[in-house]
């Protein structure tokens, strides 16, 4: 039996086209003995190529993984696929269907969706289809019957991530991702215990009737072995560990960092949160080869950051964390969000001023996007703040807004995002020159 995996990245915010969730499902599929193929869909013009692949590959199943701003393309492709071969089973997993399962009601051409972690459930789903059994009673599955959403029971969250195969890097074009990004991405944990109102983690916890999405880790030894195998196979200069919060568990990070220093030795980046940063952690990162730390500052206004975003951190914590990392000789990158409901222009300036104060090596700003299923996203929909006509045809995630702002305020948001570097670093003429040169070269 053949399975075609399609990952849409049309006008996507991230240049990285490597989805760890999808790559893990690909590995499970191949280990179970089924033939798998992966296609990255970058433009609507690629739809023609998909049609040709369907006619040549003859998949029994076409599987997608989607974030909210890509789901429009999943629906379009499913519509086209069913015209070519109505017997193809179409299925979608990922963050969007997991926290917003009602999305399957939006199209008749998507047969079902998977909610939550679905490696084990997907394997059972494949087995049922290969044996011509009814797949609709598979765990973690949701589908539409007589106009109503049917949700099957969930398998418990995996506690032993070592039991899963390594995310596929053979059928899935991992080497292509490296060449585009300039580094090799890795993911070693699942979950984040914090309850940020705009993030999917609290929504995932709610799905499993949990208060928090407590992180789970693969063993440090298996993580190091994965890096070693990947480094031998690909030309890798730098590594980016994209866990939501790197090394939040002290014993895990100590063992990982010690082994990384001895056996890998390549510069790496990671994501951290100011609440977990102290001098001991920073010194460990520095010794092990970390050269850059990315931190979600999000807002310089404490009301926006803590009351609206539920970040629960002070300006003093932020300032100290950036100071410790900078003093240790590592670069910092400040990640910010603007355009959340209730934020004023003056509050945006609070964020700019705090960025100037903490002196990150780089700073970037994204425009808030209301994800259905998250607390802040649902509040936006319930209060009528979202232009729903725009939302259902929107792929410009984090670069524009779908909230019903005035034309004037929307233009200001776009301006702040576009000019963020110049606003945070007003006297950095070298940085300005690089930006203008880039515009001249690529216009």
């Amino acid at each position: 039996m053949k399975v075609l995996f399609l990952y849409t990245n049309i006008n996507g915010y991230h240049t990285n086209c490597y989805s760890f969730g999808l790559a893990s499902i690909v590995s499970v599929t191949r280990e179970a003995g089924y033939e798998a193929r992966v296609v990255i869909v970058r433009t609507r013009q690629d739809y023609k190529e998909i049609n040709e692949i369907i006619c040549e590959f003859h998949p029994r199943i076409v599987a997608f993984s989607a974030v909210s701003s890509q789901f429009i393309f999943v629906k379009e492709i499913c519509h086209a696929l069913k015209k070519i071969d109505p017997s193809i089973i179409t299925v979608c997993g990922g963050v969007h269907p997991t926290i917003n399962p009602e999305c399957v009601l939006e199209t008749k051409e998507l047969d079902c969706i998977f909610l939550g972690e679905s490696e084990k459930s997907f394997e059972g789903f494949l087995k049922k289809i290969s044996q011509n059994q009814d797949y609709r009673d598979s765990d973690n599955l949701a589908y539409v019957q007589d106009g109503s959403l049917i949700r099957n029971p969930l398998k418990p969250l995996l506690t032993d991530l070592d039991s899963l195969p390594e995310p596929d890097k053979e059928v899935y074009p991992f080497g292509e991702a490296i060449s585009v990004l300039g580094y090799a991405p890795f993911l070693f944990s699942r979950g984040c215990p914090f309850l940020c109102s705009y993030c999917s983690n609290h929504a995932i916890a709610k799905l499993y009737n949990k208060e928090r999405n407590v992180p789970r880790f693969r063993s440090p030894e298996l993580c190091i072995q994965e890096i070693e195998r990947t480094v031998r196979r690909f030309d890798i200069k730098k590594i980016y560990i994209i866990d939501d919060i790197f090394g939040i568990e002290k014993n895990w990070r100590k063992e990982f960092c010690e082994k990384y220093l001895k056996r890998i030795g390549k510069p790496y980046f990671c994501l951290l949160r100011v609440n977990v940063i102290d001098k001991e952690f920073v010194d460990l990162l520095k010794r092990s080869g970390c050269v850059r730390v990315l931190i979600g500052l999000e807002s310089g206004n404490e009301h926006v950051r803590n009351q609206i975003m539920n970040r629960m951190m002070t300006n003093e914590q932020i300032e100290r964390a950036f100071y410790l990392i900078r003093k240790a000789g590592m670069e910092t990158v400040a990640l910010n969000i603007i355009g959340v409901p209730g934020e004023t222009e003056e509050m945006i300036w609070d964020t700019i001023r705090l960025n100037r104060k903490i002196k990150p090596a780089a700073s970037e700003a994204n425009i808030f996007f209301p994800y259905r299923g998250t607390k802040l996203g649902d509040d936006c929909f319930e209060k009528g703040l979202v232009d729903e006509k725009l939302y259902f045809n929107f792929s410009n995630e984090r670069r524009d807004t779908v909230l019903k702002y005035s034309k004037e305020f929307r233009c200001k948001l776009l301006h702040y995002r576009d000019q963020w570097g110049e606003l945070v670093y007003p006297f950095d003429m070298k940085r300005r020159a690089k930006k203008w040169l880039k515009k001249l070269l690529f216009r």
Side-chain angles (χ1 to χ4, degrees):
M1 187 173 70
K2 298 179 180 179
V3 185
L4 176 63
F5 292 93
L6 297 180
Y7 184 71
T8 65
N9 193 28
I10 300 174
N11 191 34
Y13 169 74
H14 294 288
T15 54
N16 179 12
C17 54
Y18 189 78
S19 164
F20 283 92
L22 190 63
S24 183
I25 295 289
V26 172
S27 287
V28 167
T29 301
R30 298 182 69 201
E31 277 206 351
Y34 305 105
E35 187 175 351
R37 186 166 177 178
V38 177
V39 174
I40 312 299
V41 186
R42 293 183 175 80
T43 70
R44 281 190 169 105
Q45 284 67 46
D46 292 340
Y47 290 3
K48 182 180 179 182
E49 180 187 350
I50 295 171
N51 294 347
E52 293 171 353
I53 291 171
I54 294 294
C55 295
E56 172 259 319
F57 187 58
H58 300 295
R60 182 75 180 92
I61 302 160
V62 175
F64 301 84
S65 180
V67 295
S68 299
S69 56
Q70 292 292 307
F71 194 63
I72 177 178
F73 307 116
V74 172
K75 293 187 289 186
E76 289 177 354
I77 295 170
C78 285
H79 180 73
L81 292 178
K82 290 293 189 178
K83 285 186 175 180
I84 298 171
D85 184 354
S87 70
I88 288 176
I89 297 171
T90 54
V91 56
C92 183
V95 177
H96 181 66
T98 289
I99 66 174
N100 179 33
E102 289 77 11
C103 69
V104 73
L105 295 165
E106 297 171 18
T107 174
K108 295 179 181 179
E109 286 87 8
L110 180 59
D111 293 311
C112 54
I113 57 176
F114 271 95
L115 313 183
E117 291 184 355
S118 300
E119 283 92 351
K120 301 298 184 183
S121 301
F122 193 77
E123 185 177 354
F125 168 80
L126 294 176
K127 184 176 180 180
K128 288 178 184 292
I129 294 172
S130 68
Q131 295 177 352
N132 295 314
Q133 298 174 2
D134 186 358
Y135 63 82
R136 290 182 299 174
D137 63 350
S138 301
D139 289 339
N140 291 59
L141 198 74
Y143 58 95
V144 178
Q145 183 172 291
D146 299 327
S148 298
L149 177 66
I150 307 298
R151 296 171 56 159
N152 293 344
L154 299 173
K155 285 188 182 298
L157 287 170
L158 283 170
T159 55
D160 179 17
L161 297 187
D162 287 357
S163 65
L164 292 174
E166 182 181 313
D168 184 84
K169 299 180 182 68
E170 183 178 345
V171 172
Y172 205 119
F174 187 76
E176 185 177 320
I178 295 173
S179 65
V180 171
L181 296 168
Y183 56 77
F186 291 90
L187 179 70
F188 299 133
S189 69
R190 295 183 178 185
C192 172
F194 296 99
L195 303 174
C196 304
S197 62
Y198 54 90
C199 176
S200 64
N201 272 293
H202 70 274
I204 293 170
K206 184 179 178 181
L207 177 72
Y208 286 93
N209 296 313
K210 295 179 179 294
E211 185 177 333
R212 297 174 186 272
N213 191 10
V214 178
R216 293 151 292 134
F217 299 83
R218 291 175 61 204
S219 63
E221 177 59 30
L222 285 189
C223 297
I224 294 297
Q225 288 179 18
E226 179 183 347
I227 298 174
E228 287 176 327
R229 283 191 293 270
T230 309
V231 166
R232 285 195 295 267
R233 182 175 174 189
F234 300 97
D235 180 21
I236 295 173
K237 301 292 191 297
K238 294 175 286 187
I239 287 169
Y240 182 11
I241 302 171
I242 67 168
D243 297 34
D244 286 347
I245 303 176
F246 172 72
I248 193 171
E249 204 281 313
K250 287 186 177 182
N251 292 330
W252 186 95
R253 74 186 180 222
K254 185 174 185 296
E255 181 180 346
F256 177 87
C257 287
E258 289 174 353
K259 290 184 174 183
Y260 188 95
L261 175 62
K262 292 177 182 177
R263 293 161 56 181
I264 307 300
K266 291 184 178 291
Y268 74 93
F269 323 143
C270 65
L271 287 158
L272 286 181
R273 180 182 167 104
V274 299
N275 311 58
V276 304
I277 295 171
D278 57 25
K279 188 175 185 304
E280 181 184 2
F281 194 175
V282 168
D283 290 344
L284 179 64
L285 290 172
K286 177 65 176 178
R287 287 197 307 273
S288 64
C290 181
V291 295
R292 182 180 303 157
V293 178
L294 294 84
I295 300 175
L297 185 158
E298 310 307 15
S299 175
N301 181 276
E302 291 197 293
H303 171 75
V304 171
R305 188 173 63 245
N306 296 328
Q307 302 306 311
I308 299 176
M309 295 179 165
N310 201 38
R311 291 285 287 171
M312 298 300 118
M313 57 181 64
T314 66
N315 283 4
E316 289 74 21
Q317 285 177 304
I318 293 170
E319 291 170 27
R320 175 165 174 74
F322 276 82
Y323 168 77
L324 287 173
I325 296 167
R326 186 173 66 252
K327 185 179 179 183
M330 293 179 284
E331 291 183 345
T332 56
V333 179
L335 309 175
N336 306 273
I337 297 175
I338 59 175
V340 298
E343 184 179 47
T344 65
E345 189 173 4
E346 179 59 27
M347 291 171 174
I348 295 174
W349 272 101
D350 287 340
T351 305
I352 294 169
R353 285 188 282 264
L354 184 56
N355 272 262
R356 290 176 177 177
K357 191 172 184 179
I358 61 176
K359 301 176 182 177
S363 177
E364 61 181 60
N366 295 315
I367 297 175
F368 168 73
F369 184 86
Y371 297 108
R372 280 190 181 272
T374 65
K375 185 180 184 302
L376 188 54
D378 286 347
D379 283 348
C380 290
F381 283 95
E382 289 167 8
K383 293 175 180 176
L385 304 179
V386 180
D387 182 337
E388 295 201 31
K389 183 178 179 181
L390 176 61
Y391 171 85
F392 284 108
N393 293 279
F394 186 85
S395 64
N396 208 19
E397 178 188 353
R398 308 190 195 187
R399 292 156 290 175
D400 203 340
T401 183
V402 294
L403 300 190
K404 294 177 181 177
Y405 287 129
S406 67
K407 183 178 180 181
E408 178 186 11
F409 192 73
R410 174 182 172 268
C411 287
K412 286 182 178 179
L413 284 179
L414 298 181
H415 167 76
Y416 280 117
R417 185 187 182 278
D418 183 58
Q419 301 298 319
W420 193 257
E422 284 77 3
L423 294 167
V424 172
Y425 310 97
F427 305 112
D428 191 335
M429 303 311 295
K430 185 177 180 181
R431 191 183 301 266
R432 286 173 176 246
K434 282 184 178 179
K435 181 172 181 179
W436 284 110
L437 179 61
K438 186 176 180 181
K439 283 186 175 181
L440 287 170
L441 291 173
F442 294 101
R443 67 167 145 180

